[in-house]
Amino acid sequence: MVKHLEDNEFISTSQHGFVSKRSCLTNLLETLEEWTEALDEGYGIHAIFLDYKKDFDTVPHRRPLRKLKGYRVKGQLLQWIENFLTK
């Protein structure tokens, strides 16, 4: 599925999780670089930290399925995901 999303350029350049050569660490490093640059230019920084623990459990399962269909995911992969989400 990641290959399909990458091949069709559905993944934003700001996406770090589940992307080759990008991780939570690269996300933090890019953020630190942007914040340092902003501070060097005299801007202030405001940050909000959110805890998404168990967040997926609260998402209506039909919503991610609609998103995947919008990304043209179909066939056996979509069927497998649908079966997984509706169990």
Side-chain angles (χ1 to χ4, degrees), residues 6-66:
E6 288 174 340
D7 290 349
N8 291 283
E9 299 178 357
F10 287 126
I11 297 178
S12 167
T13 56
S14 62
Q15 174 72 35
H16 286 263
F18 309 105
V19 178
S20 177
K21 299 181 183 173
R22 294 180 145 262
S23 65
C24 291
L25 179 58
T26 60
N27 186 17
L28 290 171
L29 291 171
E30 283 185 20
T31 301
L32 179 60
E33 187 175 314
E34 290 177 13
W35 287 359
T36 301
E37 185 178 319
L39 290 170
D40 287 346
E41 293 175 3
Y43 295 100
I45 301 291
H46 294 89
I48 297 173
F49 296 90
L50 303 172
D51 180 2
Y52 290 109
K53 184 178 179 183
K54 299 264 185 194
D55 189 55
F56 186 76
D57 296 342
T58 65
V59 173
H61 292 148
R62 292 286 165 204
R63 188 174 300 155
L65 288 173
R66 281 195 308 270

Side-chain angles (χ1 to χ4, degrees), residues 61-62 65 68-69 75-87:
H61 292 148
R62 292 286 165 204
L65 288 173
L68 290 171
K69 289 176 185 176
Q76 289 180 331
L77 177 59
L78 184 64
Q79 184 67 44
W80 182 86
I81 294 168
E82 191 169 24
N83 289 339
F84 175 78
L85 290 175
T86 57
K87 285 185 179 181

